[in-house]
Amino acid sequence: MELTIIGAGYVGLTTGAVLAELGHVVTIVDCDRRKVDRLKEGIMPFYEPGLDGLVSDQLRTGRLQFENEITITNQTELVMVCVGTPPNEDGSPDLGALTSVVDDLAKQLLLGQIVLTKSSVPPGTNSWICKRLSDAGIREMDCPVVSNPEFLREGTAIEDTRRPSRMVFGIDDRLSLAPRNELLERLYELYRGIHSPLLVTNWEGAELVKYGSNAFLAAKISYINELSCICDAYGADIRDVSCGIGMDPRIGPDFLKAGLGYGGSCLPKDLSALAYCAESRGVTSHMFEEIGSINERQMLAYAKQFLTEIDTERSSKINTEQKIRVAVWGIAFKPETDDTRMSPAITFMKQLLAWGVEVHAYDPMAIFSAHGLYLHDDPYAALLNADGLAVVTDWPVFAMNQVNWAFVKETMRGSVVLDARNIYHFGHLEKYGLIPVGIGRPLLQHQSIISEMRGNS
Ligand code: UGA
């Protein structure tokens, strides 16, 4: 198939490269000329494991190309819209880029070309696209519109695209059987070679599967984070509680890791957008707002606890006049990405800076600048004379056995280590004279046992 993908972000770029790998001829269009020029040379606009290799390979086959402007030819069978829908101040998604793409397409679409929306959009958007095209004289039966939301995660985008958890097609429920089946046949052809469960629904159903999934993931994280505060209050270990809850197959173990909260460009944005959509149709929902508030609270609560622990240690020392200085490991919103959008690490650091703390940060990929923040290109350099270390993003290089703890202790001035992703064994850190603080973890460590009951009499 020949297709045009509009938008060279995580979704457009990864989907385009994987579809080219499957044998399709793909043109990816992006309005950012510099980005396009660099992509033509195989230079990625962001860090995503394996993507540079895949794009370069597909460029060499000639099946993948990049353009700066949308040019639909009569060879084009399908146009995939993958532009960003960033949040406005009021939580609603900004559909400006999408609108200008649709208006551009309205001038160029030819009979039989499919418009497929991958951008995350509010319910009603695909219906609106169809109406906008039809106002420009393009009938739905000539150029069908399909909602095909994307579920890939940054950091594992290629794998998620090759083996998606599910495929959702939202199509116009007014289509009669024959054109509907013909459309589905062409969509199967597009994803030939990709195996996954499939759901076919109407436009609004598909749009809400996307928002609803991200909001649910955010809810799971806020739920476990709220529970972590109760664990702190009662001396339970959130890792055990989470493990026990996740053993129920109705709940499942994923997305139950307590931490500093969720970030990224998707969960926070889609949650706000869903809340906005509910409200704009008069549906009262307190839950979505609360999920976001718990997330915010989590980042600030642990920034406060970190500082309290540092203050407690410093109060036992003689020279406490010096400005508090801390090291933060991790800036990206999660490992294996350089994306810092809505990163909990940044909210955490900004709070410390607002309290007058000097912050020295290190991340293997991400960068960020703020007044009073010092960036380092070595994790141990950030530690020099620090009163505390906060490990906020669980990059593999920060794993328990990757860190030289003796050197950490030697380099720091204080001993507090905030393990904001619960990745360390406290007993091990204590052996080096460090004072570990976790998220929902008791001071007295215990031995958890996970095994099998055999039930033999
Ligand atoms: C998310 C969804 O997981 C994807 O399915 C979706 O396609 C994507 O948004 C999107 O809409 O484009 P992503 O933003 O890449 O993917 O990140 P996640 O892996 O979902 O992680 C989000 C945040 O939750 C991270 O900050 C992570 O550290 C945090 N998290 C995750 C936890 O705090 N605890 C957990 O147990 C899991």
Side-chain angles (χ1 to χ4, degrees), residues 110 186 288 372 406:
L110 301 168
R186 293 177 67 196
F288 300 139

Side-chain angles (χ1 to χ4, degrees), residues 167-342:
M167 185 66 75
V168 178
F169 296 145
I171 56 184
D172 185 357
D173 43 14
R174 295 167 306 183
L175 279 184
S176 55
L177 200 60
R180 179 188 161 94
N181 285 344
E182 194 192 317
L183 175 59
L184 286 175
E185 280 308 321
R186 293 177 67 196
L187 296 174
Y188 300 152
E189 172 61 16
L190 172 68
Y191 290 117
R192 174 180 39 94
I194 288 186
H195 304 283
S196 80
L198 169 70
L199 171 70
V200 181
T201 176
N202 64 5
W203 284 324
E204 293 75 12
E207 291 160 340
L208 277 171
V209 166
K210 173 66 194 184
Y211 273 5
S213 298
N214 275 356
F216 191 74
L217 292 173
K220 274 189 107 173
I221 299 168
S222 278
Y223 180 84
I224 209 69
N225 281 340
E226 183 131 294
L227 213 48
S228 74
C229 300
I230 304 175
C231 284
D232 271 336
Y234 280 89
D237 190 324
I238 190 64
R239 296 168 309 162
D240 293 344
V241 176
S242 152
C243 175
I245 292 174
M247 281 170 168
D248 184 332
R250 292 170 301 176
I251 300 173
D254 295 335
F255 272 69
L256 285 181
K257 267 205 266 157
L260 264 200
Y262 59 80
S265 68
C266 306
L267 265 50
K269 165 178 80 75
D270 291 355
L271 180 75
S272 315
L274 187 55
Y276 181 89
C277 293
E279 203 174 304
S280 62
R281 286 288 168 105
V283 180
T284 311
S285 166
H286 302 296
M287 190 168 171
F288 300 139
E289 212 162 285
E290 200 48 36
I291 295 168
S293 307
I294 294 170
N295 198 46
E296 196 76 11
R297 217 159 58 212
Q298 188 78 354
M299 302 173 202
L300 304 183
Y302 282 96
K304 187 156 180 238
Q305 191 173 341
F306 182 44
L307 207 56
T308 306
E309 298 291 340
I310 290 173
D311 271 337
T312 310
E313 193 193 13
R314 275 164 58 103
S315 61
S316 62
K317 293 181 180 166
I318 313 149
N319 187 1
T320 53
E321 292 312 305
Q322 284 161 312
K323 193 174 182 181
I324 296 183
R325 177 175 174 154
V326 301
V328 174
W329 283 359
I331 299 175
F333 83 97
K334 67 173 189 178
E336 304 303 342
T337 179
D338 58 358
D339 196 346
T340 58
R341 286 175 290 176
M342 304 293 281

Side-chain angles (χ1 to χ4, degrees), residues 6 70 81-86 88 93-107 109 115 117 119-122 124-126 128-133 135-136:
I6 305 167
I70 306 174
V81 183
C82 301
V83 293
T85 50
N88 288 315
D94 177 353
L95 300 180
L98 182 98
T99 305
S100 90
V101 165
V102 172
D103 288 346
D104 212 342
L105 291 178
K107 293 181 211 133
L109 282 176
V115 177
T117 315
S119 302
S120 302
V121 291
T125 306
N126 282 277
W128 170 85
I129 294 175
C130 186
K131 165 94 176 47
R132 189 112 171 161
L133 292 176
D135 288 348

